[in-house]
């Protein structure tokens, strides 16, 4: 294992990337590409082979064209920076990227990328109209010169398998001057189980302007010393409260939403609210530092049939275990635009037929305790198997999960890799492999879960 790079390169422009590729190839070194943001399993900064890190943190330019409703964003820019720069120019334009403002644009968009606008506008990758990528030969390509197959592959197939993505051209989307947000929390003693049960049947059918997420956590109850399970229903509605209330009364009266639960604000302010930041000065979106130094494990699932009440209660039971003190489930509703886009439009197959997505996460502080917390989330993941997608059990590429499988130092065959690869890509996997083989036949751009080339 070589956990540390031989060198870290932080280019200031595109032309400085090409020599890095030439040098690495000539010296038998691998390149790991970082876009300056997050990497759950650390595949962008560790390797079993001698390697260099190509960190695109300085490539962070963002150019917004309000008239054309487009923006060019370099790979090292963060999502919060993108939202801020859009808001500088317009309060009625937005972008359907992720909730976390410190995520880097390069990896986020290349893996699909989803956020609070998913039901209205789909994924970040669904709204990409051009890109610039440097291939294995050091050529700088745009959509026209790379061709539609490679342009298809990098929008959801994971860009680091195909080259160095340096920038994206985004189609911005319309948002109203005022949106409405609310968060209503219910404990199991307040009928949370039945409300979550009902949510599963209806959240994907809501008006596409309405998205209601559910956060599952363990909290203190009103009884001293007691712990309970809480479901928090957090919503973004693309419209005013006067239109929201009758929609909720008609479709989800069980939640008991009242006018005083709702707050109207601009879309850019809602990006703070949804991430549970104080709604105030917007420059917090420009903060590129990650204060959180805790250990973290994340997994994902897709749900195609509502989980039974007994199934939900089994989840709650596991959240009373000691390791769940800082654990969380997030249920992200699908439907709307996600039902309308073909699963082969880009290499992101999780479309129609999915009611919602589950994000599992657990945090801890002591490295010595890692195995305990990893075992806890693995047990929960195993428990969930009967309730989620099957044959294959689907996953989300941006939530890297080495439990699913790894390449053997980048030399695993297509047949071997497809065992775990199909879990990510279903029917799109074959096309991704053929694109990879065409543009990078030597498998130079690789990591433990990259798309393999046909040997």
């Amino acid at each position: 294992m070589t956990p540390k790079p031989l060198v870290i390169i932080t280019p200031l422009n595109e032309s400085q990337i090409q020599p890095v590729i030439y040098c690495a190839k000539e010296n038998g070194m691998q390149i790991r590409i970082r876009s300056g943001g997050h990497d759950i399993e650390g595949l962008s900064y560790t390797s079993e082979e001698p390697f260099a890190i190509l960190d695109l943190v300085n490539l962070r330019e963002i150019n917004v064209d309000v008239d054309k409703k487009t923006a060019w964003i370099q790979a090292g820019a963060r999502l919060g920076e993108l939202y801020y720069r859009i808001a500088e120019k317009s309060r009625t334009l937005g972008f359907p990227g992720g909730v976390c403002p410190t995520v880097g644009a390069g990896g986020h968009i290349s893996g699909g990328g989803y956020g609070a606008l998913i039901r209205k506008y789909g994924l970040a990758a669904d709204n990409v109209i051009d890109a610039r990528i440097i291939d294995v030969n050091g050529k700088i390509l745009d959509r026209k010169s790379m061709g539609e197959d490679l342009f298809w592959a990098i929008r959801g197939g994971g860009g680091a398998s195909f080259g160095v993505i340096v920038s994206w051209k985004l189609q911005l989307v319309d948002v109203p001057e005022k949106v409405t947000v609310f968060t209503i929390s219910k404990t199991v003693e307040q009928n949370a189980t039945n409300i979550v049960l009902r949510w599963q049947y209806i959240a994907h059918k809501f008006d596409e302007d309405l998205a209601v997420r559910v956060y599952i956590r363990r909290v203190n109850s009103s009884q001293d010393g007691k712990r309970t399970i809480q479901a928090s229903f957090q919503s973004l509605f693309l419209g005013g409260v006067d239109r929201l209330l009758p929609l909720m009364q008609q479709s989800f009266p069980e939640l008991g939403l009242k006018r005083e639960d709702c707050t109207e604000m601009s879309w850019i302010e809602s990006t703070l609210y949804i991430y549970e930041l104080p709604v105030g000065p917007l420059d917090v979106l420009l903060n590129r530092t990650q204060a959180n130094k805790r250990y973290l494990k994340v997994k994902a699932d897709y749900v195609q049939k509502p989980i039974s009440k007994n199934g939900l209660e089994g989840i709650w039971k596991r959240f009373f275990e000691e390791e769940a003190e800082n654990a969380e489930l997030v249920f992200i509703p699908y439907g709307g635009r996600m039902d309308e886009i073909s699963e082969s439009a880009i290499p992101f197959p999780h479309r129609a037929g999915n009611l919602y997505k589950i994000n599992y996460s657990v945090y801890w502080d002591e490295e010595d305790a890692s195995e305990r917390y990893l075992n806890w989330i693995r047990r929960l993941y195993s428990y969930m198997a009967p309730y989620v997608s099957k044959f294959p059990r689907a996953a989300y590429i941006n939530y890297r999960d080495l439990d699913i499988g790894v390449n053997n130092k980048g030399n695993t065959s297509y047949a071997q890799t497809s065992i775990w690869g199909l879990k990510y890509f279903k029917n799109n996997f074959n096309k991704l492999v053929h694109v990879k083989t065409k543009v990078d036949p030597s498998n130079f751009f690789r990591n433990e879960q990259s798309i393999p080339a046909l040997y």
Side-chain angles (χ1 to χ4, degrees):
M1 181 67 177
T2 310
K4 294 183 179 180
L6 298 175
V7 62
I8 300 173
I9 302 100
T10 55
L12 299 175
N13 53 58
E14 290 179 352
S15 65
Q16 293 178 347
I17 296 173
Q18 295 161 302
V20 177
I21 295 174
Y22 302 145
C23 181
K25 289 169 64 178
E26 186 174 331
N27 290 280
M29 292 174 61
Q30 194 186 352
I31 288 179
R32 290 293 166 106
I33 307 160
R34 286 179 57 80
S35 56
H38 302 197
D39 187 341
I40 289 170
E41 291 280 20
L43 301 190
S44 65
Y45 52 84
T46 60
S47 176
E48 293 184 352
E49 307 170 60
F51 76 109
I53 291 179
L54 181 60
D55 195 330
L56 307 181
V57 65
N58 292 320
L59 298 183
R60 50 189 290 197
E61 188 174 336
I62 300 169
N63 292 305
V64 176
D65 187 326
V66 172
D67 294 334
K68 294 181 179 179
K69 297 183 180 180
T70 62
W72 274 101
I73 178 172
Q74 289 190 305
R78 307 289 175 91
L79 297 181
E81 294 176 297
L82 172 63
Y83 304 152
Y84 184 93
R85 299 305 173 198
I86 294 171
E88 276 187 323
K89 300 285 187 71
S90 170
R91 291 301 177 101
T92 56
L93 289 175
F95 185 73
V99 165
C100 180
T102 54
V103 168
H108 177 72
I109 298 170
S110 72
Y114 73 92
L117 296 178
I118 186 172
R119 301 193 66 253
K120 177 73 172 182
Y121 292 114
L123 306 170
D126 292 326
N127 295 275
V128 171
I129 53 180
D130 203 344
R132 289 176 67 81
I133 182 172
I134 302 179
D135 72 6
V136 69
N137 299 312
K139 293 181 180 178
I140 301 175
L141 308 171
D142 61 8
R143 179 174 183 172
K144 183 177 180 180
S145 55
M146 78 175 76
E148 287 302 303
D149 283 349
L150 180 54
F151 184 62
W152 173 87
I154 62 175
R155 291 174 296 150
S161 292
F162 303 98
V164 182
I165 295 172
V166 290
S167 57
W168 301 101
K169 187 178 184 181
L170 311 177
Q171 181 67 63
L172 305 183
V173 300
D174 294 314
V175 293
E177 289 187 5
K178 291 292 181 183
V179 302
T180 305
V181 298
F182 68 78
T183 302
I184 294 180
S185 298
K186 301 285 187 181
T187 64
V188 290
E189 293 80 13
Q190 297 168 324
N191 204 31
T193 307
N194 286 328
I195 299 175
V196 172
L197 185 66
R198 176 64 178 155
W199 176 93
Q200 295 181 95
Y201 286 89
I202 57 176
H204 65 290
K205 299 177 182 177
F206 287 159
D207 185 295
E208 65 179 9
D209 287 338
L210 176 61
V212 181
R213 294 179 169 217
V214 185
Y215 292 79
I216 307 296
R217 298 161 176 148
R218 189 174 83 199
V219 298
N220 289 320
S221 74
S222 54
Q223 303 174 33
D224 291 342
K226 300 288 186 180
R227 305 289 274 164
T228 188
I229 305 303
Q230 176 182 275
S232 295
F233 298 83
Q234 184 200 69
S235 175
L236 171 65
F237 177 64
L238 298 176
V241 65
D242 289 336
R243 188 161 73 92
L244 171 63
L245 288 173
L247 280 176
M248 287 294 292
Q249 186 55 43
Q250 179 182 7
S251 57
F252 200 12
E254 296 85 355
L255 192 58
L257 181 69
K258 300 181 179 65
R259 181 176 290 270
E260 53 266 33
D261 299 318
C262 303
T263 305
E264 292 184 342
M265 60 181 62
S266 64
W267 173 78
I268 188 63
E269 290 173 323
S270 79
T271 66
L272 302 177
Y273 178 90
I274 295 296
Y275 192 58
E276 300 182 334
L277 291 171
V279 178
L282 297 178
D283 56 7
V284 67
L285 293 170
L286 301 177
N287 182 5
R288 295 168 60 87
T289 15
Q290 259 304 336
N292 195 339
K293 303 299 183 183
R294 310 177 78 188
Y295 295 94
L296 166 68
K297 178 67 177 179
V298 172
K299 289 180 174 289
D301 264 318
Y302 292 86
V303 178
Q304 296 166 345
K305 295 181 180 178
I307 301 172
S308 66
K309 185 174 182 179
N310 284 341
L312 293 175
E313 289 172 341
I315 298 173
W316 307 166
K317 179 181 177 182
R318 283 154 178 81
F319 264 73
F320 280 111
E321 295 176 12
E322 181 181 353
E323 292 81 8
E325 177 69 24
N326 294 299
E328 179 181 76
L329 294 188
V330 187
F331 296 172
I332 298 102
Y334 267 40
R337 183 70 180 133
M338 292 298 285
D339 281 352
E340 298 166 0
I341 301 173
S342 165
E343 67 173 26
S344 60
I346 64 172
F348 187 93
H350 316 299
R351 304 288 189 173
N354 291 298
L355 304 181
Y356 61 98
K357 176 181 177 294
I358 301 179
N359 174 19
Y360 311 78
S361 60
V362 62
Y363 292 88
W364 65 98
D365 295 307
E366 302 297 330
E367 184 178 5
D368 292 346
S370 294
E371 202 60 32
R372 281 177 43 219
Y373 290 91
L374 291 172
N375 286 337
W376 177 84
I377 198 169
R378 288 165 180 159
R379 290 196 306 271
L380 175 60
Y381 185 76
S382 177
Y383 167 79
M384 293 295 292
Y387 303 108
V388 297
S389 59
K390 303 175 182 65
F391 312 116
R393 184 173 183 175
Y396 175 44
I397 184 175
N398 275 354
Y399 293 166
R400 294 292 196 190
D401 183 0
L402 295 179
D403 292 343
I404 291 175
V406 298
N407 288 329
N408 181 20
K409 296 185 180 180
N411 296 319
T412 304
S413 71
Y414 164 67
Q416 291 172 296
T417 311
S418 67
I419 294 171
W420 61 262
L422 290 171
K423 295 178 184 179
Y424 283 117
F425 301 115
K426 293 185 179 178
N427 298 330
N428 293 325
F429 189 64
N430 288 333
K431 183 176 178 181
L432 284 164
V433 170
H434 285 285
V435 174
K436 167 70 171 181
T437 305
K438 181 179 178 181
V439 303
D440 183 19
S442 65
N443 201 24
F444 174 72
F445 292 109
R446 63 184 183 271
N447 60 51
E448 284 77 1
Q449 290 190 337
S450 58
I451 304 299
L454 286 169
Y455 297 123

